[in-house]
Amino acid sequence: MTESILIATDGSEAAQAAERYGVALAAKLGARVVGVTVIEERWMQTLRADSLGVAQPPIEPIEAFLKARAEAASRRLADLARSQRVDCTTDTLRGVADDRIAERAQGVDLLVLGRDGLSASSRSGLIGSTVDGVLRKTTKPTIVVPRGAEFGGGVVLGFDGSPGSRIAAKIAIDLARKLGHGLHVFVDSKDKGRAASRFDEMRRLLSTSDVQVREASSTLGRPDVKIVDTARSSGAGLIVIGAFGRNRISEYFIGSNAASIVRTSPVAVLLAR
């Protein structure tokens, strides 16, 4: 049951997508929102460091600007939540952003992040550097929202029979039921018998639910591409997948298919843990 949602924002235009999505989801679920903004102390440490004889700029105005910006981001989120009658508290923290966000997320049920932010130009091979760091450190289910994504539409579940995808299945079924959306179950397997077995497992999980389900499968192409294509063609607003697939060791702390889906999806992606 999702009773609390943490929305991390840096005040950027890209982060607004995550703010809108997280607040709309909280309104539907009756959850409270915790907003977090982090003032990155590493920038101040760089300014205070030995500058090789170059005169340092005044520190106080820069600190005041960063604090004011963080407070403005918090107010924007709080105003949005208030407009949708969602209970919201906000915190402004200091430190390394991904560390502070992961730590603060320990006290909530779900984390929502924008895929890009102020440092979008400093990207890893996956996504924005701060989001990349959070995904590697958090133990909480996390929704990553790309720029331009909006709340609404059905739910696509990528299911491969792994423990992670079973967790994802339970979350997807619960969300589809509470949001009143249909559920599209996607299974990828080169073995038809194995694909049939996975669909049978999903039907058992859905046996006590009244969620409307559509099934899709593919034996050709890359599963990450097929899952994103399924979301596009079905008009879905959310993809739910396990953070770790059957090949967990293939990428550091996040499955390779999951990483690709987060990077390329035009809709929000929930990584289940």
Side-chain angles (χ1 to χ4, degrees):
M1 184 175 182
T2 303
E3 297 181 344
S4 55
I5 299 174
L6 186 148
I7 303 174
T9 180
D10 59 10
S12 65
E13 180 183 349
Q16 280 191 293
E19 296 170 21
R20 291 192 301 268
Y21 197 100
V23 169
L25 178 61
K28 278 285 191 178
L29 299 180
R32 63 183 177 87
V33 164
V34 177
V36 168
T37 303
V38 181
I39 298 174
E40 284 273 14
E41 290 188 339
R42 59 183 173 178
W43 306 122
M44 303 310 300
Q45 291 170 356
T46 299
L47 292 174
R48 292 190 182 99
D50 180 10
S51 299
L52 299 175
V54 178
Q56 294 179 340
I59 302 298
E60 290 76 12
I62 298 174
E63 287 185 325
F65 169 78
L66 294 175
K67 183 174 184 292
R69 182 180 176 82
E71 291 173 348
S74 294
R75 285 196 301 272
R76 185 177 74 183
L77 176 57
D79 289 346
L80 176 62
R82 190 179 303 111
S83 71
Q84 298 194 35
R85 301 180 182 274
V86 172
D87 181 33
C88 177
T89 59
T90 59
D91 288 332
T92 298
L93 309 176
R94 289 179 176 270
V96 178
D98 47 329
D99 286 341
R100 298 289 84 80
I101 292 169
E103 289 167 3
R104 189 66 180 80
Q106 291 302 309
V108 301
D109 300 315
L110 178 67
L111 174 58
V112 177
L113 303 167
R115 189 171 66 189
D116 300 302
L118 283 173
S119 57
S121 60
S122 174
R123 298 177 66 90
S124 72
L126 173 62
I127 43 177
S129 57
T130 295
V131 180
D132 189 5
V134 172
L135 292 179
R136 294 177 189 275
K137 296 171 183 177
T138 188
T139 60
K140 295 293 184 174
T142 303
I143 296 179
V144 181
V145 185
R147 185 193 297 263
E150 297 293 342
F151 179 78
V155 179
V156 170
L157 167 66
F159 188 77
D160 65 3
S162 66
S165 73
R166 292 188 179 101
I167 296 172
K170 293 177 181 178
I171 293 174
I173 293 168
D174 184 58
L175 283 175
R177 179 178 60 81
K178 290 179 178 177
L179 299 177
H181 295 318
L183 178 64
H184 297 253
V185 179
F186 179 89
V187 166
D188 183 87
S189 178
K190 303 299 184 289
D191 184 310
K192 291 185 178 179
R194 187 174 296 169
S197 176
R198 291 173 183 169
F199 277 130
D200 286 342
E201 181 176 357
M202 278 303 309
R203 293 182 189 112
R204 289 193 295 271
L205 290 171
L206 286 158
S207 61
T208 59
S209 173
D210 58 357
V211 173
Q212 183 179 1
V213 178
R214 293 184 62 184
E215 298 176 351
S217 64
S218 176
T219 59
L220 298 173
R222 290 168 41 187
D224 54 319
V225 174
K226 295 295 185 180
I227 289 172
V228 172
D229 285 346
T230 299
R232 284 197 181 99
S233 63
S234 66
L238 179 66
I239 295 172
V240 183
I241 51 176
F244 313 110
R246 303 192 70 85
N247 298 316
R248 178 165 180 164
I249 64 172
S250 64
E251 191 161 322
Y252 176 57
F253 283 163
I254 184 169
S256 56
N257 282 327
S260 177
I261 291 168
V262 169
R263 185 177 63 245
T264 61
S265 174
V267 304
V269 179
L270 190 155
L271 296 173
R273 304 172 190 263

